[in-house]
Amino acid sequence: MSLIQTISINTDTIIGESELEDRLHGNRPLRIKLGVDPTRPDLTFGHLVVFNKLRQFQAMGHEAILIIGDFTTLIGDPSGRSSSRPQLTREEIRTNAETYLDQAFKVLNRDKTTVYYNSEWFDAMNFEDCLKLARKMTVARMLERDDFAKRYAGNTPISIIEFLYPLIQGYDSLKIHADVEIGGTDQLFNMLVGRALQKDAGKQEQAVITMPLLVGLDGSMKMSKSADNYIAFTDSPKEMFGKIMSIPDATMWDYYKLLLEFDEARLEKLQAGHPMDAKKSLASALVGQFHSMEKARHELQQFEQVFSKNKLPDDMPTFTWSELSPDAESNSLVNLMAASQLFESKGAIRRLVEQGGVKIDSEKQNDPNFTLSRNNAATIIQAGKRIFFKLVG
C-alpha cells in the first residue's frame, strides 16, 4: 500500500492530494495541524477520529501540531450551526483548556507533538492587523458556506465576528507553516481558507484532509458536546462502558472503523456474529484504551451480571437519607433522585419515571410524585439501564 493510500484510510476528502503525495516522499517531516476549541472541559470520541489520524502521521515520522484554540473559542466555531454559539469568558476557556492536553496525550505521542495556543499571536495583533486580515475574504465567499447560506436565507442573524472565524482558523495555518490540516467534514470551508491565505502570502498551500463525523449516542446526530450525545475521554469506566452499550447496533460498526480502525475484513468477521457480542467487545476495547483492560473486564462482568443474569451490580453509589433529604423524613422520588446529582435535571428524571424507566427495589414506578419515607433498610433505585444507587436510612 502506498503512503497516500495509507493516509486515505478513514478519510472523506483530500484536497491537494498530488502535492501531498510528493511531500510525503520528501526529505523532511511534514507539519500536520489539528485545532481544537476548548468549549467544554472534555474531549469526546468525536475528537478521537481526528486524533487517530494525527497519531497515524506521527507513526510515519511527521510532526503533530496541536493548536488549542483559546482565542477562536472567544468567537465560537459557527460550523454546522443554525444559530450563534453562546460566548465564553477567557476564564471559562482557560479552565476548559487546562484538561485538554492530558486528555490528548491519551492518544497522541507527547514527545512528537508541538502545542500552541492561538492567543499567542492573536493577542499581539492590533485592529489594523485585523482589518488587513478581513480584507482577504468577501461576503459572497463566506455565503458559499452552507450553514451561513441557510441562516442568511432564513433571516437568522449572523454576526460579523462569526464571518471572521474561518479567517482566524486559516491564519493559524499560515502562522505555523502547516503542510497538512486535518479536521471533520464540517471544517472543510475553514481549512480551505487556510489554503487561500497561504497562497495569498506566496507560501506552499496546505493539503486538507477531512474525516467523517462520528454519530452520537442517539444514532442520528453527530456526536457533540452541545447535543449532549457524546462519550468523553474523561468518562469513568462505568459511564464509558454503559454509553457504548447503549448505541444502536447499526452505529457501532462506524465506531469500530473510525475509533478502533478496523478494516473491512475484520468488520465482516464481526458482523457475521451476534451484535451483542460485538458491542461488548467494542466497549471493552475502548474502556481498555482509556482506562485499563482490568477495568474493562470488570465493567463487562458487571454489565453481564445486570443485563444477562438480572442481578444487581456489585458496585453502586450509596447515599444516606440525610444526604438526599436532610430536612424531611419523607420526600418525592423525583427530589431524591435529583439530590443524588446523577441526573441531568428534574425534568429529565420526571420524563424517565413517567416513561416507566425507574424501578424501586425492582418494582417499576411511573409516578414521579411517589413519596418515599426514611427507612432503616436499604432501598435500591434503578434508572434506565445504567444508573443504580442505594438509599439507606
PDB file of all heavy atoms in Angstrom, residues 44-69:
ATOM      1  N   THR A  44     -14.089  14.453  23.258  1.00  0.00           N
ATOM      2  CA  THR A  44     -15.053  13.378  23.048  1.00  0.00           C
ATOM      3  C   THR A  44     -14.537  12.369  22.034  1.00  0.00           C
ATOM      4  O   THR A  44     -13.529  12.604  21.361  1.00  0.00           O
ATOM      5  CB  THR A  44     -16.395  13.933  22.544  1.00  0.00           C
ATOM      6  OG1 THR A  44     -16.279  14.256  21.138  1.00  0.00           O
ATOM      7  CG2 THR A  44     -16.807  15.181  23.310  1.00  0.00           C
ATOM      8  N   PHE A  45     -15.252  11.268  21.901  1.00  0.00           N
ATOM      9  CA  PHE A  45     -14.880  10.270  20.910  1.00  0.00           C
ATOM     10  C   PHE A  45     -15.010  10.819  19.489  1.00  0.00           C
ATOM     11  O   PHE A  45     -14.441  10.267  18.560  1.00  0.00           O
ATOM     12  CB  PHE A  45     -15.738   9.015  21.073  1.00  0.00           C
ATOM     13  CG  PHE A  45     -15.246   8.092  22.168  1.00  0.00           C
ATOM     14  CD1 PHE A  45     -14.269   8.500  23.063  1.00  0.00           C
ATOM     15  CD2 PHE A  45     -15.772   6.822  22.306  1.00  0.00           C
ATOM     16  CE1 PHE A  45     -13.812   7.660  24.067  1.00  0.00           C
ATOM     17  CE2 PHE A  45     -15.327   5.969  23.301  1.00  0.00           C
ATOM     18  CZ  PHE A  45     -14.343   6.386  24.188  1.00  0.00           C
ATOM     19  N   GLY A  46     -15.762  11.904  19.321  1.00  0.00           N
ATOM     20  CA  GLY A  46     -15.772  12.573  18.021  1.00  0.00           C
ATOM     21  C   GLY A  46     -14.392  13.121  17.700  1.00  0.00           C
ATOM     22  O   GLY A  46     -13.938  13.067  16.553  1.00  0.00           O
ATOM     23  N   HIS A  47     -13.704  13.646  18.722  1.00  0.00           N
ATOM     24  CA  HIS A  47     -12.327  14.108  18.539  1.00  0.00           C
ATOM     25  C   HIS A  47     -11.389  12.933  18.264  1.00  0.00           C
ATOM     26  O   HIS A  47     -10.379  13.090  17.574  1.00  0.00           O
ATOM     27  CB  HIS A  47     -11.822  14.840  19.800  1.00  0.00           C
ATOM     28  CG  HIS A  47     -12.501  16.138  20.085  1.00  0.00           C
ATOM     29  ND1 HIS A  47     -13.418  16.300  21.089  1.00  0.00           N
ATOM     30  CD2 HIS A  47     -12.394  17.353  19.491  1.00  0.00           C
ATOM     31  CE1 HIS A  47     -13.840  17.553  21.116  1.00  0.00           C
ATOM     32  NE2 HIS A  47     -13.232  18.211  20.155  1.00  0.00           N
ATOM     33  N   LEU A  48     -11.705  11.766  18.820  1.00  0.00           N
ATOM     34  CA  LEU A  48     -10.812  10.620  18.667  1.00  0.00           C
ATOM     35  C   LEU A  48     -10.603  10.260  17.202  1.00  0.00           C
ATOM     36  O   LEU A  48      -9.529   9.784  16.823  1.00  0.00           O
ATOM     37  CB  LEU A  48     -11.377   9.417  19.441  1.00  0.00           C
ATOM     38  CG  LEU A  48     -10.560   8.122  19.431  1.00  0.00           C
ATOM     39  CD1 LEU A  48      -9.130   8.359  19.912  1.00  0.00           C
ATOM     40  CD2 LEU A  48     -11.248   7.057  20.294  1.00  0.00           C
ATOM     41  N   VAL A  49     -11.605  10.502  16.364  1.00  0.00           N
ATOM     42  CA  VAL A  49     -11.479  10.193  14.936  1.00  0.00           C
ATOM     43  C   VAL A  49     -10.302  10.956  14.322  1.00  0.00           C
ATOM     44  O   VAL A  49      -9.459  10.376  13.631  1.00  0.00           O
ATOM     45  CB  VAL A  49     -12.787  10.535  14.183  1.00  0.00           C
ATOM     46  CG1 VAL A  49     -12.642  10.236  12.692  1.00  0.00           C
ATOM     47  CG2 VAL A  49     -13.964   9.741  14.758  1.00  0.00           C
ATOM     48  N   VAL A  50     -10.215  12.261  14.596  1.00  0.00           N
ATOM     49  CA  VAL A  50      -9.124  13.054  14.019  1.00  0.00           C
ATOM     50  C   VAL A  50      -7.816  12.854  14.776  1.00  0.00           C
ATOM     51  O   VAL A  50      -6.736  12.920  14.192  1.00  0.00           O
ATOM     52  CB  VAL A  50      -9.489  14.557  13.937  1.00  0.00           C
ATOM     53  CG1 VAL A  50     -10.495  14.810  12.835  1.00  0.00           C
ATOM     54  CG2 VAL A  50     -10.037  15.075  15.261  1.00  0.00           C
ATOM     55  N   PHE A  51      -7.909  12.588  16.069  1.00  0.00           N
ATOM     56  CA  PHE A  51      -6.687  12.291  16.831  1.00  0.00           C
ATOM     57  C   PHE A  51      -6.035  11.007  16.323  1.00  0.00           C
ATOM     58  O   PHE A  51      -4.803  10.901  16.284  1.00  0.00           O
ATOM     59  CB  PHE A  51      -6.991  12.183  18.323  1.00  0.00           C
ATOM     60  CG  PHE A  51      -6.992  13.503  19.041  1.00  0.00           C
ATOM     61  CD1 PHE A  51      -8.169  14.202  19.245  1.00  0.00           C
ATOM     62  CD2 PHE A  51      -5.812  14.058  19.507  1.00  0.00           C
ATOM     63  CE1 PHE A  51      -8.164  15.415  19.898  1.00  0.00           C
ATOM     64  CE2 PHE A  51      -5.801  15.280  20.162  1.00  0.00           C
ATOM     65  CZ  PHE A  51      -6.982  15.965  20.360  1.00  0.00           C
ATOM     66  N   ASN A  52      -6.847  10.027  15.942  1.00  0.00           N
ATOM     67  CA  ASN A  52      -6.286   8.801  15.367  1.00  0.00           C
ATOM     68  C   ASN A  52      -5.494   9.103  14.093  1.00  0.00           C
ATOM     69  O   ASN A  52      -4.423   8.533  13.854  1.00  0.00           O
ATOM     70  CB  ASN A  52      -7.403   7.805  15.042  1.00  0.00           C
ATOM     71  CG  ASN A  52      -7.871   7.027  16.260  1.00  0.00           C
ATOM     72  OD1 ASN A  52      -7.185   6.968  17.270  1.00  0.00           O
ATOM     73  ND2 ASN A  52      -9.049   6.431  16.170  1.00  0.00           N
ATOM     74  N   LYS A  53      -6.012  10.004  13.269  1.00  0.00           N
ATOM     75  CA  LYS A  53      -5.315  10.359  12.027  1.00  0.00           C
ATOM     76  C   LYS A  53      -4.012  11.100  12.342  1.00  0.00           C
ATOM     77  O   LYS A  53      -2.980  10.862  11.698  1.00  0.00           O
ATOM     78  CB  LYS A  53      -6.218  11.215  11.143  1.00  0.00           C
ATOM     79  CG  LYS A  53      -5.626  11.611   9.790  1.00  0.00           C
ATOM     80  CD  LYS A  53      -5.258  10.396   8.946  1.00  0.00           C
ATOM     81  CE  LYS A  53      -6.446   9.552   8.599  1.00  0.00           C
ATOM     82  NZ  LYS A  53      -6.073   8.394   7.732  1.00  0.00           N
ATOM     83  N   LEU A  54      -4.052  11.981  13.338  1.00  0.00           N
ATOM     84  CA  LEU A  54      -2.845  12.706  13.719  1.00  0.00           C
ATOM     85  C   LEU A  54      -1.798  11.732  14.261  1.00  0.00           C
ATOM     86  O   LEU A  54      -0.600  11.847  13.950  1.00  0.00           O
ATOM     87  CB  LEU A  54      -3.196  13.764  14.771  1.00  0.00           C
ATOM     88  CG  LEU A  54      -2.158  14.839  15.068  1.00  0.00           C
ATOM     89  CD1 LEU A  54      -1.745  15.579  13.798  1.00  0.00           C
ATOM     90  CD2 LEU A  54      -2.691  15.830  16.103  1.00  0.00           C
ATOM     91  N   ARG A  55      -2.235  10.768  15.043  1.00  0.00           N
ATOM     92  CA  ARG A  55      -1.316   9.747  15.560  1.00  0.00           C
ATOM     93  C   ARG A  55      -0.721   8.918  14.425  1.00  0.00           C
ATOM     94  O   ARG A  55       0.450   8.526  14.474  1.00  0.00           O
ATOM     95  CB  ARG A  55      -2.058   8.835  16.543  1.00  0.00           C
ATOM     96  CG  ARG A  55      -1.167   7.775  17.199  1.00  0.00           C
ATOM     97  CD  ARG A  55      -1.992   6.849  18.058  1.00  0.00           C
ATOM     98  NE  ARG A  55      -3.000   6.159  17.270  1.00  0.00           N
ATOM     99  CZ  ARG A  55      -4.039   5.523  17.794  1.00  0.00           C
ATOM    100  NH1 ARG A  55      -4.232   5.500  19.091  1.00  0.00           N
ATOM    101  NH2 ARG A  55      -4.913   4.921  17.001  1.00  0.00           N
ATOM    102  N   GLN A  56      -1.510   8.666  13.386  1.00  0.00           N
ATOM    103  CA  GLN A  56      -1.009   7.922  12.226  1.00  0.00           C
ATOM    104  C   GLN A  56       0.138   8.678  11.560  1.00  0.00           C
ATOM    105  O   GLN A  56       1.161   8.092  11.199  1.00  0.00           O
ATOM    106  CB  GLN A  56      -2.146   7.688  11.224  1.00  0.00           C
ATOM    107  CG  GLN A  56      -1.733   6.878  10.001  1.00  0.00           C
ATOM    108  CD  GLN A  56      -2.840   6.805   8.967  1.00  0.00           C
ATOM    109  OE1 GLN A  56      -3.521   7.782   8.694  1.00  0.00           O
ATOM    110  NE2 GLN A  56      -3.022   5.630   8.388  1.00  0.00           N
ATOM    111  N   PHE A  57      -0.027   9.988  11.412  1.00  0.00           N
ATOM    112  CA  PHE A  57       1.057  10.802  10.849  1.00  0.00           C
ATOM    113  C   PHE A  57       2.289  10.757  11.753  1.00  0.00           C
ATOM    114  O   PHE A  57       3.425  10.695  11.268  1.00  0.00           O
ATOM    115  CB  PHE A  57       0.596  12.246  10.663  1.00  0.00           C
ATOM    116  CG  PHE A  57      -0.092  12.516   9.349  1.00  0.00           C
ATOM    117  CD1 PHE A  57      -1.455  12.729   9.277  1.00  0.00           C
ATOM    118  CD2 PHE A  57       0.643  12.573   8.168  1.00  0.00           C
ATOM    119  CE1 PHE A  57      -2.086  12.985   8.063  1.00  0.00           C
ATOM    120  CE2 PHE A  57       0.032  12.833   6.945  1.00  0.00           C
ATOM    121  CZ  PHE A  57      -1.340  13.040   6.896  1.00  0.00           C
ATOM    122  N   GLN A  58       2.080  10.799  13.067  1.00  0.00           N
ATOM    123  CA  GLN A  58       3.206  10.704  13.988  1.00  0.00           C
ATOM    124  C   GLN A  58       3.963   9.393  13.797  1.00  0.00           C
ATOM    125  O   GLN A  58       5.195   9.377  13.790  1.00  0.00           O
ATOM    126  CB  GLN A  58       2.714  10.785  15.435  1.00  0.00           C
ATOM    127  CG  GLN A  58       2.302  12.172  15.875  1.00  0.00           C
ATOM    128  CD  GLN A  58       1.935  12.205  17.354  1.00  0.00           C
ATOM    129  OE1 GLN A  58       1.323  11.274  17.882  1.00  0.00           O
ATOM    130  NE2 GLN A  58       2.281  13.284  18.026  1.00  0.00           N
ATOM    131  N   ALA A  59       3.212   8.307  13.645  1.00  0.00           N
ATOM    132  CA  ALA A  59       3.843   6.996  13.470  1.00  0.00           C
ATOM    133  C   ALA A  59       4.659   6.933  12.187  1.00  0.00           C
ATOM    134  O   ALA A  59       5.615   6.149  12.078  1.00  0.00           O
ATOM    135  CB  ALA A  59       2.781   5.901  13.466  1.00  0.00           C
ATOM    136  N   MET A  60       4.321   7.798  11.214  1.00  0.00           N
ATOM    137  CA  MET A  60       5.063   7.851   9.951  1.00  0.00           C
ATOM    138  C   MET A  60       6.253   8.803  10.037  1.00  0.00           C
ATOM    139  O   MET A  60       6.959   9.005   9.054  1.00  0.00           O
ATOM    140  CB  MET A  60       4.112   8.276   8.821  1.00  0.00           C
ATOM    141  CG  MET A  60       2.985   7.286   8.561  1.00  0.00           C
ATOM    142  SD  MET A  60       1.727   7.932   7.407  1.00  0.00           S
ATOM    143  CE  MET A  60       2.668   8.009   5.893  1.00  0.00           C
ATOM    144  N   GLY A  61       6.463   9.414  11.213  1.00  0.00           N
ATOM    145  CA  GLY A  61       7.627  10.275  11.412  1.00  0.00           C
ATOM    146  C   GLY A  61       7.376  11.753  11.235  1.00  0.00           C
ATOM    147  O   GLY A  61       8.332  12.543  11.207  1.00  0.00           O
ATOM    148  N   HIS A  62       6.105  12.172  11.139  1.00  0.00           N
ATOM    149  CA  HIS A  62       5.800  13.585  10.921  1.00  0.00           C
ATOM    150  C   HIS A  62       5.497  14.287  12.244  1.00  0.00           C
ATOM    151  O   HIS A  62       5.267  13.652  13.273  1.00  0.00           O
ATOM    152  CB  HIS A  62       4.638  13.716   9.940  1.00  0.00           C
ATOM    153  CG  HIS A  62       4.921  13.095   8.606  1.00  0.00           C
ATOM    154  ND1 HIS A  62       5.861  13.604   7.734  1.00  0.00           N
ATOM    155  CD2 HIS A  62       4.434  11.964   8.021  1.00  0.00           C
ATOM    156  CE1 HIS A  62       5.925  12.839   6.657  1.00  0.00           C
ATOM    157  NE2 HIS A  62       5.080  11.831   6.808  1.00  0.00           N
ATOM    158  N   GLU A  63       5.497  15.620  12.213  1.00  0.00           N
ATOM    159  CA  GLU A  63       5.315  16.421  13.414  1.00  0.00           C
ATOM    160  C   GLU A  63       3.854  16.819  13.583  1.00  0.00           C
ATOM    161  O   GLU A  63       3.257  17.436  12.697  1.00  0.00           O
ATOM    162  CB  GLU A  63       6.171  17.686  13.358  1.00  0.00           C
ATOM    163  CG  GLU A  63       6.059  18.553  14.612  1.00  0.00           C
ATOM    164  CD  GLU A  63       6.838  19.859  14.500  1.00  0.00           C
ATOM    165  OE1 GLU A  63       7.406  20.125  13.418  1.00  0.00           O
ATOM    166  OE2 GLU A  63       6.867  20.611  15.490  1.00  0.00           O
ATOM    167  N   ALA A  64       3.285  16.458  14.714  1.00  0.00           N
ATOM    168  CA  ALA A  64       1.906  16.838  15.013  1.00  0.00           C
ATOM    169  C   ALA A  64       1.893  18.222  15.652  1.00  0.00           C
ATOM    170  O   ALA A  64       2.611  18.478  16.614  1.00  0.00           O
ATOM    171  CB  ALA A  64       1.272  15.825  15.961  1.00  0.00           C
ATOM    172  N   ILE A  65       1.077  19.115  15.097  1.00  0.00           N
ATOM    173  CA  ILE A  65       0.910  20.454  15.652  1.00  0.00           C
ATOM    174  C   ILE A  65      -0.506  20.537  16.211  1.00  0.00           C
ATOM    175  O   ILE A  65      -1.480  20.533  15.454  1.00  0.00           O
ATOM    176  CB  ILE A  65       1.090  21.561  14.587  1.00  0.00           C
ATOM    177  CG1 ILE A  65       2.392  21.369  13.803  1.00  0.00           C
ATOM    178  CG2 ILE A  65       1.009  22.932  15.232  1.00  0.00           C
ATOM    179  CD1 ILE A  65       3.634  21.621  14.582  1.00  0.00           C
ATOM    180  N   LEU A  66      -0.626  20.578  17.507  1.00  0.00           N
ATOM    181  CA  LEU A  66      -1.937  20.680  18.146  1.00  0.00           C
ATOM    182  C   LEU A  66      -2.149  22.120  18.585  1.00  0.00           C
ATOM    183  O   LEU A  66      -1.389  22.655  19.391  1.00  0.00           O
ATOM    184  CB  LEU A  66      -2.014  19.742  19.357  1.00  0.00           C
ATOM    185  CG  LEU A  66      -3.343  19.727  20.115  1.00  0.00           C
ATOM    186  CD1 LEU A  66      -4.476  19.259  19.218  1.00  0.00           C
ATOM    187  CD2 LEU A  66      -3.242  18.850  21.354  1.00  0.00           C
ATOM    188  N   ILE A  67      -3.172  22.751  18.021  1.00  0.00           N
ATOM    189  CA  ILE A  67      -3.475  24.141  18.365  1.00  0.00           C
ATOM    190  C   ILE A  67      -4.682  24.161  19.291  1.00  0.00           C
ATOM    191  O   ILE A  67      -5.763  23.689  18.934  1.00  0.00           O
ATOM    192  CB  ILE A  67      -3.748  24.985  17.111  1.00  0.00           C
ATOM    193  CG1 ILE A  67      -2.467  25.093  16.277  1.00  0.00           C
ATOM    194  CG2 ILE A  67      -4.256  26.371  17.494  1.00  0.00           C
ATOM    195  CD1 ILE A  67      -2.579  25.998  15.088  1.00  0.00           C
ATOM    196  N   ILE A  68      -4.471  24.673  20.484  1.00  0.00           N
ATOM    197  CA  ILE A  68      -5.570  24.892  21.423  1.00  0.00           C
ATOM    198  C   ILE A  68      -6.164  26.253  21.091  1.00  0.00           C
ATOM    199  O   ILE A  68      -5.510  27.288  21.257  1.00  0.00           O
ATOM    200  CB  ILE A  68      -5.090  24.864  22.885  1.00  0.00           C
ATOM    201  CG1 ILE A  68      -4.353  23.556  23.193  1.00  0.00           C
ATOM    202  CG2 ILE A  68      -6.267  25.070  23.828  1.00  0.00           C
ATOM    203  CD1 ILE A  68      -5.203  22.312  23.105  1.00  0.00           C
ATOM    204  N   GLY A  69      -7.389  26.256  20.598  1.00  0.00           N
ATOM    205  CA  GLY A  69      -7.992  27.498  20.110  1.00  0.00           C
ATOM    206  C   GLY A  69      -8.603  28.330  21.218  1.00  0.00           C
ATOM    207  O   GLY A  69      -9.820  28.566  21.235  1.00  0.00           O
TER     208      GLY A  69
END
